[in-house]
Amino acid sequence: MKARLLLKERIVQSQAAFAEIVVWQVPEPVRGSRHAHKYRMALVVDETCVMRYDNEAGKGDHRHIETTETGLNFNSLDELYAAFWTDVDNWLDVNGRLS
């Protein structure tokens, strides 16, 4: 099986911000992960990535919120997606909703 694109979307939050989500199903887990998905989910504000979830090879599942990187527990794509949007909402609440 080759990698198969499951989801690719860009959601505009405001004139200055958007979220981009890309998820692939892969034939084997990415090094450092235990599931068959490769993903990146990002919040970009004023052309700067302020938050990103990804499973870069060798690092496994993790997130970056501004300059802080922490690990993630991957249970399912649905849970990962929900956690990402919760973090987006929290970031926007702390930093002010963008117009």
Side-chain angles (χ1 to χ4, degrees), residues 2-70:
K2 293 182 179 182
R4 182 169 61 103
L5 182 64
L6 298 178
L7 178 65
K8 183 175 184 178
E9 62 183 347
R10 181 177 283 203
I11 300 97
V12 176
Q13 298 291 312
S14 71
Q15 290 180 343
F18 65 89
E20 185 169 81
I21 299 171
V22 180
V23 180
W24 294 84
Q25 182 177 3
V26 292
E28 295 181 13
V30 174
R31 190 169 39 92
S33 296
R34 296 180 182 204
H35 52 82
H37 297 95
K38 173 73 177 145
Y39 62 87
R40 70 178 184 273
M41 302 175 177
L43 175 63
V44 178
V45 177
D46 293 327
E47 299 181 13
T48 300
C49 181
V50 297
M51 185 175 59
R52 184 175 76 251
Y53 281 37
D54 68 282
N55 62 336
E56 177 181 344
K59 284 189 160 189
D61 304 294
H62 63 283
R63 68 180 169 191
H64 309 258
I65 298 180
E66 297 180 0
T67 60
T68 303
E69 182 178 328
T70 57

